[in-house]
Each structure stands twice: as C-alpha cells, then as structure tokens.
Amino acid sequence: MPYVQDILKRADEARTRIKEISPEDARAWIELGAAIVDVREEKEFAAGKIPGAILVSLGPLETAIEAAVPGKSTPVLVYCAIGHRSAIGADVLQQLGYTSVASLGGGLKAYLESSEARKIA
C-alpha cells in the first residue's frame, strides 16, 4: 500500500497548485476544443475513454506530451479513472510550461455518471 499512499499524497499536494473542474465544466472545455489527455494505462484506455481523448500515460507524460500536444498554450483537460493521477499529471504539465491545464475532478467515473457528459458522449 505504500504506492497508493504516495499517489494520494502527491495528488493532494498537486491539487493545491492546479485547477480541478467538474464534468460539466469539462464538457465546456471539450466543446471549445481542448486537448483531452488520458493519463491511465493502455488497458484502462482500451476499456473505455472520453471520445476524442489521447493516451499519454502518467509515467512517460513528461517525455511524451510534447508530441501529443505541441502547443503549450493549448487548453489541456487531463483525466484518469477517479482523479488522483490526473491531478498529478496536470501539475506536471504546468511545471512543463503548459498554461491552460485542468484536471477532471472525480475522473472518468464522475464524467460517465454526469448527465451533462451523456449529452456529448
């Protein structure tokens, strides 16, 4: 369990520095053309994703994001399963100089449960 506790601690710290948005606000970001970055693992991504999302797992995020989202001023919506890895990922992107980044609070789980998201999925 130390790994899980480390992720939770890092996510809590990241949340003090990032913007975390609701599924409803995520819908607006998507409609405005934000890049949608899924930081889960490949098998999770294959099992279901937000339409239009690109996979850039959290592990290689720092080295792979520039190829996936080259413009650092591009709005980027980051999500994972329940919101912990995406908080860390959003923090990493901000540290890399991305200027418009948000983490989807509650992750894909909250998004799928959102009635607003069902309208665009």
Side-chain angles (χ1 to χ4, degrees):
M1 283 296 171
Y3 175 74
V4 173
Q5 291 173 350
D6 181 52
I7 290 288
L8 295 176
K9 181 181 176 189
R10 289 180 59 204
D12 286 343
E13 291 171 357
R15 285 187 180 97
T16 67
R17 298 182 293 268
I18 66 160
K19 178 177 190 167
E20 193 167 51
I21 63 174
S22 69
E24 293 76 19
D25 289 340
R27 177 179 182 253
W29 276 55
I30 292 167
E31 288 178 354
L32 292 172
I36 311 164
V37 176
D38 186 324
V39 294
R40 298 176 301 154
E41 297 300 317
E42 192 170 337
K43 66 181 179 178
E44 293 173 288
F45 185 77
K49 64 184 184 303
I50 293 175
I54 54 173
L55 177 65
V56 186
S57 297
L58 186 58
L61 182 64
E62 288 182 69
T63 57
I65 191 62
E66 192 171 341
V69 184
K72 291 195 176 184
S73 63
T74 300
V76 181
L77 173 65
V78 184
Y79 78 95
C80 64
I82 58 174
H84 301 310
R85 290 175 286 178
S86 62
I88 296 166
D91 194 33
V92 167
L93 293 182
Q94 288 182 169
Q95 291 173 27
L96 292 172
Y98 285 82
T99 58
S100 183
V101 179
S103 173
L104 175 56
L108 183 61
K109 181 180 187 308
Y111 181 85
L112 293 175
E113 291 172 354
S114 165
S115 60
E116 287 295 315
R118 287 189 194 118
K119 293 178 185 176
I120 64 167

